[in-house]
Amino acid sequence: GAGVSQSPSNKVTEKGKDVELRCDPISGHTALYWYRQSLGQGLEFLIYFQGNSAPDKSGLPSDRFSAERTGGSVSTLTIQRTQQEDSAVYLCASSSMGLAGTLIEQFFGPGTRLTVL
Amino acid sequence: QKEVEQDPGPLSVPEGAIVSLNCTYSNSAFQYFMWYRQYSRKGPELLMYTYSSGNKEDGRFTAQVDKSSKYISLFIRDSQPSDSATYLCALGGSRVSGGYNKLIFGAGTRLAVHP
């Protein structure tokens, strides 16, 4: 069975350009997460989608960042007018929906390494 | 103050050594304590998790949680070069931090086991 896939694996862009990063979650997983991982930093939560509920956008660092999840499956993270400090690895994870109060394992994709020149 | 503190290392040990990796946290409401392993250029994968306080053992790996001290540990016995990776602690299950599906990660400790 396929795991979480992300594309592109690497992206180099110029400052000020927009970029789109794609995530294909595991089939049947209702929850999808985006994280950012910078050198020496932990995983920084960005946004969380759960089924048809309104997404939790509390981790988005600025209004230049947005994300969509179409049809409850594929998700796209968009960064507008990229800045050098946006350079990082962007990780996507998905999980199934379990009983309330139970831990749900998050399965991660390999990430997209973004470099803003 | 960060919710979760983890020494980023790097930690370099000889093959066969016992490795101790640790995290401290500030929010006593966390209920789930996890360790993820991340190989270079890969996404993290869940290694172990414990619920509430106590120990959990899986082969060469032991996870410990001390809720009174807000301190969690991962021990690796008889470490192997294949254990070389970054180890991230992750905490969840706190409504204060967003509920059961939202995890708070430490910075990760880079471990190198040399033959």
Side-chain angles (χ1 to χ4, degrees), chain A residues 56-114:
Chain A
D56 176 351
K57 303 179 181 181
S58 60
L60 294 179
S62 77
D63 59 7
R64 297 187 296 104
F65 288 73
S66 63
E68 288 186 343
R69 189 178 185 192
T70 53
S73 181
V74 171
S75 177
T76 302
L77 177 70
T78 301
I79 308 173
Q80 295 178 310
R81 304 180 303 281
T82 51
Q83 304 294 311
Q84 287 182 332
E85 60 262 29
D86 299 334
S87 296
V89 176
Y90 289 82
L91 289 158
C92 174
S94 71
S95 69
S96 59
M97 177 135 178
L99 297 173
T102 62
L103 177 70
I104 304 300
E105 180 180 352
Q106 296 183 20
F107 294 84
F108 284 83
T112 293
R113 186 172 299 271
L114 175 66

Side-chain angles (χ1 to χ4, degrees), chain B residues 8-24:
Chain B
L11 186 60
S12 181
V13 301
E15 183 175 355
I18 296 174
V19 176
S20 173
L21 305 166
N22 312 290
C23 289
T24 58

Side-chain angles (χ1 to χ4, degrees), chain A residues 10 31 33 35 37 40-43 45 48 50 56 58 91 95-96 100-110 113, chain B residues 2 8 31-32 34 36 38 41-46 49 51 86 88 92-93 98 100-108:
Chain A
N10 284 284
Y33 314 76
Y35 295 89
Q37 187 175 33
Q41 305 292 316
L43 270 64
F45 167 79
Y48 160 50
Q50 174 64 288
D56 176 351
S58 60
L91 289 158
S95 69
S96 59
T102 62
L103 177 70
I104 304 300
E105 180 180 352
Q106 296 183 20
F107 294 84
F108 284 83
R113 186 172 299 271
Chain B
K2 289 184 180 179
Q31 299 181 46
Y32 292 96
M34 284 143 280
Y36 277 79
Q38 184 177 23
R41 303 270 175 167
K42 302 285 188 183
E45 55 180 355
L46 182 64
Y49 81 88
Y51 174 71
T86 296
L88 301 105
Y100 291 95
N101 286 335
K102 196 168 168 181
L103 300 179
I104 307 298
F105 284 84

Side-chain angles (χ1 to χ4, degrees), chain B residues 1-65:
Chain B
Q1 182 188 10
K2 289 184 180 179
E3 284 194 276
V4 181
E5 298 277 0
Q6 184 177 10
D7 186 341
L11 186 60
S12 181
V13 301
E15 183 175 355
I18 296 174
V19 176
S20 173
L21 305 166
N22 312 290
C23 289
T24 58
Y25 61 96
S26 56
N27 182 353
S28 59
F30 285 119
Q31 299 181 46
Y32 292 96
F33 306 89
M34 284 143 280
W35 287 95
Y36 277 79
R37 179 175 61 193
Q38 184 177 23
Y39 290 112
S40 181
R41 303 270 175 167
K42 302 285 188 183
E45 55 180 355
L46 182 64
L47 186 61
M48 293 184 71
Y49 81 88
T50 54
Y51 174 71
S52 195
S53 279
N55 293 0
K56 186 171 184 178
E57 189 172 321
D58 184 1
R60 296 184 295 109
F61 298 87
T62 300
Q64 281 187 355
V65 175

